[in-house]
Amino acid sequence: MKLSKRGEYGLRALQDLAAHYEGGPVSTNDLAERNNIPSRFLEQIMLILKHGRIVHSKKGPHGGYHLARSPERITLAEVVRLLDGPLSPISCVSETAFEPCGCPDMEACGLRRVMQAVRDAVAAMMENTTLADLLSK
Amino acid sequence: MKLSKRGEYGLRALQDLAAHYEGGPVSTNDLAERNNIPSRFLEQIMLILKHGRIVHSKKGPHGGYHLARSPERITLAEVVRLLDGPLSPISCVSETAFEPCGCPDMEACGLRRVMQAVRDAVAAMMENTTLADLLSK
DNA sequence: CATAAAACATATAATATCTATAGGATTTAT
DNA sequence: ATAAATCCTATAGATATTATATGTTTTATG
């Protein structure tokens, strides 16, 4: 049920980028230093985020990353799915990566019902929370 | 955000044990067969559940496992924590395994606020759901 | 134009975890 | 006595995580 460091670092960096959304690009080094993240590791994460069209980049001096969209239009769900995969506790209730689980009768499975509810609750919270929501007190 | 196979198998086996709560012990082999679980792997899981005081065991022919308490008194939270560890998405919001995360200001961290809410929601669902709830339609 | 700052791209090391299998030891019903 | 079952520990095999390393490319700036 835990987020990977990759996911956690990515979210922290994006939260930082959201805070600096007005203004020029922010370098990996600055992001890493401010948020206590190993900088070479963060570099890879930023690349994933770029390929996932969550950030844009600018090369060269004074280059760096900035959000590809305004903070209100980037949900935590999108980021977590990109960096950490599906939100479901078990694959038989996943929207994005369904797989049967091997229980005798899927429809009658009580465990499945509960895990479906957990997935729905988590997904709803993550889909309704944007990077902008992370900033407001 | 996903449960391990260990956790999933353990829950499925316990759901089965709850269904057979009236009646004698159920062997690992029966549990494994009925639920499509590798039987030697399940053996280890049952041992963990035994040491965690969630099941009792009886050795010898017609031996096996039965719940240590009635199904209404075993929550999914207890089982998942035992087999898969803390429920929190990040350690800085964990009740059972708190650790600071490295963000500049924990109190002001928006990400932390959201993850705290996710943890609380998941924990509440898991703590309020018992093995008995898995059986009722 | 030279330099340095930065992203970009891969490779790979180090570690951990997950999943599962194996080999036996112990208990106990029949 | 036998066989069914738990119990215990080790370890294999696979995969994922986390991180470091090495270098290439782009580009702003002096």
Side-chain angles (χ1 to χ4, degrees), chain B residues 19 34 58 76 92 98 114:
Chain B
R34 280 205 290 264
K58 193 186 169 199
L76 297 202
C92 67
F98 172 84
V114 174

Side-chain angles (χ1 to χ4, degrees), chain A residues 47-78:
Chain A
L47 270 191
I48 298 173
L49 292 173
K50 182 199 163 86
H51 293 148
R53 297 166 188 281
I54 288 172
V55 299
H56 283 160
S57 66
K58 193 183 169 202
K59 282 185 172 182
H62 299 112
Y65 293 95
H66 62 109
L67 298 182
R69 284 164 265 148
S70 68
E72 308 85 48
R73 299 187 54 231
I74 300 175
T75 68
L76 297 202
E78 180 182 1

Side-chain angles (χ1 to χ4, degrees), chain B residues 67-86:
Chain B
L67 299 182
R69 285 164 264 149
S70 69
E72 309 86 45
R73 297 186 55 232
I74 300 176
T75 67
L76 297 202
E78 181 182 2
V79 176
V80 171
R81 287 207 179 96
L82 177 64
L83 294 177
D84 264 43

Side-chain angles (χ1 to χ4, degrees), chain B:
Chain B
M1 305 297 292
K2 220 172 69 178
L3 222 54
S4 70
K5 286 293 175 192
R6 185 174 53 250
E8 185 183 327
Y9 292 163
L11 285 171
R12 291 232 302 273
L14 288 173
Q15 179 175 25
D16 192 322
L17 282 186
H20 294 79
Y21 183 55
E22 320 288 338
V26 182
S27 74
T28 298
N29 269 332
D30 287 354
L31 290 172
E33 219 167 286
R34 280 205 290 264
N35 298 282
N36 293 300
I37 302 172
S39 104
R40 297 309 293 274
F41 193 21
L42 182 57
E43 227 175 75
Q44 292 178 62
I45 296 168
M46 295 315 294
L47 268 192
I48 298 172
L49 292 173
K50 182 201 163 85
H51 293 149
R53 298 166 186 282
I54 288 172
V55 299
H56 283 160
S57 66
K58 193 186 169 199
K59 283 185 172 181
H62 300 113
Y65 293 95
H66 62 111
L67 299 182
R69 285 164 264 149
S70 69
E72 309 86 45
R73 297 186 55 232
I74 300 176
T75 67
L76 297 202
E78 181 182 2
V79 176
V80 171
R81 287 207 179 96
L82 177 64
L83 294 177
D84 264 43
L87 300 177
S88 310
I90 50 181
S91 52
C92 67
V93 300
S94 175
E95 298 277 318
T96 62
F98 172 84
E99 266 189 79
C101 59
C103 69
D105 179 358
M106 204 176 76
E107 294 308 320
C109 179
L111 185 59
R112 183 159 184 273
R113 271 205 318 278
V114 174
M115 290 305 167
Q116 176 83 62
V118 171
R119 188 219 83 96
D120 289 348
V122 171
M125 297 183 85
M126 297 283 212
E127 270 154 14
N128 292 322
T129 306
T130 70
L131 294 185
D133 297 321
L134 300 184
L135 303 183
S136 52
K137 305 238 164 174

Side-chain angles (χ1 to χ4, degrees), chain A residues 28-65:
Chain A
T28 297
N29 268 332
D30 288 353
L31 290 173
E33 217 166 289
R34 280 205 290 264
N35 297 282
N36 292 300
I37 301 172
S39 102
R40 301 308 294 273
F41 191 21
L42 182 57
E43 228 175 74
Q44 293 178 61
I45 296 168
M46 295 315 294
L47 270 191
I48 298 173
L49 292 173
K50 182 199 163 86
H51 293 148
R53 297 166 188 281
I54 288 172
V55 299
H56 283 160
S57 66
K58 193 183 169 202
K59 282 185 172 182
H62 299 112
Y65 293 95

